[in-house]
Amino acid sequence: MSDDSIGSTTAERGLEGHDKAVASFDEDRRSGLRHVQRFLHEYPTAVPFIVLLAGVLIFSVIVGGRFFAPFNLSLVLQQVTIIGVLGIAQTLVILTAGIDLSVGAIMVLSSIVMGRLAVVAGFPPDIAFALGLLTGLVCGFINGVLVAIVNLPPFIVTLGTWSVYGSMVIYVSHSETIRAQDIETIAPILQWTGNTIRLGGGAVLTYGAILMILLAVAVWYILNRTAFGRHVYATGDDPEAARLAGINTRNTLIAVYALAGFICAIASWVLIGRIGAASPLGNQTANLDAITAVVIGGTSLFGGRGSLVGTLFGALIVGVFRNGLALAGFESLWQEFTVGILIILAVTIDQWIRKISA
């Protein structure tokens, strides 16, 4: 018998009685928390929806039937309309891993241009309206060029243009408010978004709220059903990989900021309809509320993940908590305190969810 045969026989005898099962390398079962993390990563609107539902349930207990009064529910929708429209613009920018601190100033500047051209300068109302929309588009385009071509950080760029556009508001308006009566007489089209539809039970739906929903649907379609939308997500997720894949990230960024500026001009139309006048003291700090709605709505500040549906949920969350706390008799400082806590929780959850893709 050869040495090989002897060695083989010895080895077989040594293995007798041992487990002969084939080794397996099955993937470890995920914990329940891991399942939740993956679910929230795949469905980013789940968190704001749960928070919104929880808020409604909490205030239904604390406030009672007053919270569910048709007029009060419609009032919440009216109060978040401007935030919702600006939130749509802010969502586009944040999806590219940027931020736009100037959205509130662009909105007010566009409203001043519309009002003064129509009432003071004597332009035809439709021309004044169109030039107001163009103002927002140009402001957004400038932001985009500074970010994409000059390669400046979006935070620094829009912080600067926030001051520039805010100064332009004072310069163009001469610190004067265009009265609601004058706009109603000369350019009623500028107040069109403030018209209402009565639904019964005291509920009132404004044209501005309808416009917000239609705008959200249109932008949702752009983001989810067009090549441009895929380019936006890709640019925010990994700009270098997007560039190597053939995406012109510069043009994408410029288009995003320009579109955001145009949407801010639409928000100015909603603003005039809401307050009736064109005032330089309009809500220039609405940019903070818009960012709040976007962040609470689940859109990642690091770009590449989020949705417009979540942003609308986020706007409603802000409106529900402020309205509910006001009805419960809490002072405004506690309303802002609660919104601040929601922002911190939203960013914390976003960081936790992003670990699933790390």
Side-chain angles (χ1 to χ4, degrees):
M1 184 177 292
S2 65
D3 292 341
D4 291 343
S5 297
I6 294 174
S8 178
T9 302
T10 302
E12 289 178 359
R13 288 175 180 175
L15 291 173
E16 289 181 0
H18 291 276
D19 188 1
K20 298 179 181 180
V22 178
S24 62
F25 300 94
D26 293 336
E27 183 180 355
D28 294 334
R29 293 182 178 179
R30 298 190 186 96
S31 66
L33 194 62
R34 185 73 167 177
H35 277 294
V36 173
Q37 189 181 23
R38 181 170 292 277
F39 173 81
L40 295 179
H41 182 268
E42 294 176 354
Y43 302 97
T45 59
V47 174
F49 175 76
I50 293 171
V51 173
L52 178 60
L53 183 61
V56 170
L57 293 176
I58 290 171
F59 291 116
S60 67
V61 174
I62 296 177
V63 179
R66 288 185 300 158
F67 181 78
F68 285 107
F71 174 76
N72 186 63
L73 293 178
S74 65
L75 180 62
V76 171
L77 184 60
Q78 292 177 44
Q79 291 172 339
V80 304
T81 298
I82 295 173
I83 299 176
V85 176
L86 288 180
I88 294 171
Q90 195 69 257
T91 300
L92 287 168
V93 175
I94 292 180
L95 283 175
T96 65
I99 197 167
D100 191 345
L101 300 177
S102 67
V103 292
I106 293 175
M107 175 184 69
V108 177
L109 178 59
S110 298
S111 70
I112 293 297
V113 170
M114 291 180 185
R116 289 197 67 84
L117 288 180
V119 176
V120 179
F123 278 62
D126 52 348
I127 299 298
F129 172 70
L131 291 176
L133 295 180
L134 180 61
T135 299
L137 181 66
V138 171
C139 290
F141 178 79
I142 293 172
N143 287 344
V145 168
L146 292 174
V147 170
I149 305 298
V150 187
N151 290 322
L152 298 177
F155 181 88
I156 300 300
V157 167
T158 57
L159 181 62
T161 55
W162 178 19
S163 297
V164 171
Y165 300 151
S167 300
M168 290 299 296
V169 167
I170 304 300
Y171 176 78
V172 174
S173 68
H174 302 292
S175 299
E176 298 175 351
T177 297
I178 307 299
R179 299 186 308 166
Q181 299 92 324
D182 295 332
I183 295 178
E184 183 179 5
T185 301
I186 299 173
I189 186 177
L190 300 183
Q191 296 178 337
W192 180 84
T193 56
N195 294 337
T196 59
I197 301 174
R198 299 195 175 275
L199 303 177
V204 175
L205 182 65
T206 64
Y207 288 0
I210 298 174
L211 179 62
M212 176 189 70
I213 295 172
L214 293 177
L215 181 62
V217 171
V219 178
W220 177 91
Y221 180 85
I222 292 173
L223 287 175
N224 294 275
R225 294 292 186 269
T226 67
F228 173 73
R230 291 189 290 273
H231 293 175
V232 171
Y233 278 100
T235 300
D237 188 49
D238 191 333
E240 183 61 22
R243 186 184 64 81
L244 294 175
I247 297 174
N248 191 325
T249 54
R250 284 188 173 183
N251 286 350
T252 299
L253 286 174
I254 292 174
V256 163
Y257 280 90
L259 180 57
F262 180 78
I263 294 174
C264 291
I266 295 177
S268 74
W269 191 22
V270 177
L271 175 65
I272 294 176
R274 175 74 175 151
I275 65 177
S279 171
L281 300 178
N283 193 4
Q284 292 192 43
T285 59
N287 55 343
L288 301 179
D289 289 332
I291 294 172
T292 299
V294 175
V295 172
I296 293 178
T299 297
S300 174
L301 287 172
F302 301 96
R305 190 177 66 85
S307 71
L308 284 176
V309 176
T311 295
L312 295 183
F313 281 155
L316 287 173
I317 288 171
V318 173
V320 164
F321 273 82
R322 284 180 174 168
N323 178 269
L325 289 171
L327 289 177
F330 288 90
E331 297 179 3
S332 60
L333 70 91
W334 294 112
Q335 299 174 31
E336 299 305 319
F337 176 86
T338 303
V339 171
I341 294 297
L342 289 174
I343 293 173
I344 295 173
L345 289 176
V347 175
T348 302
I349 293 173
D350 174 62
Q351 292 276 55
W352 177 65
I353 292 173
R354 284 181 64 86
K355 291 180 181 178
I356 196 70
S357 60

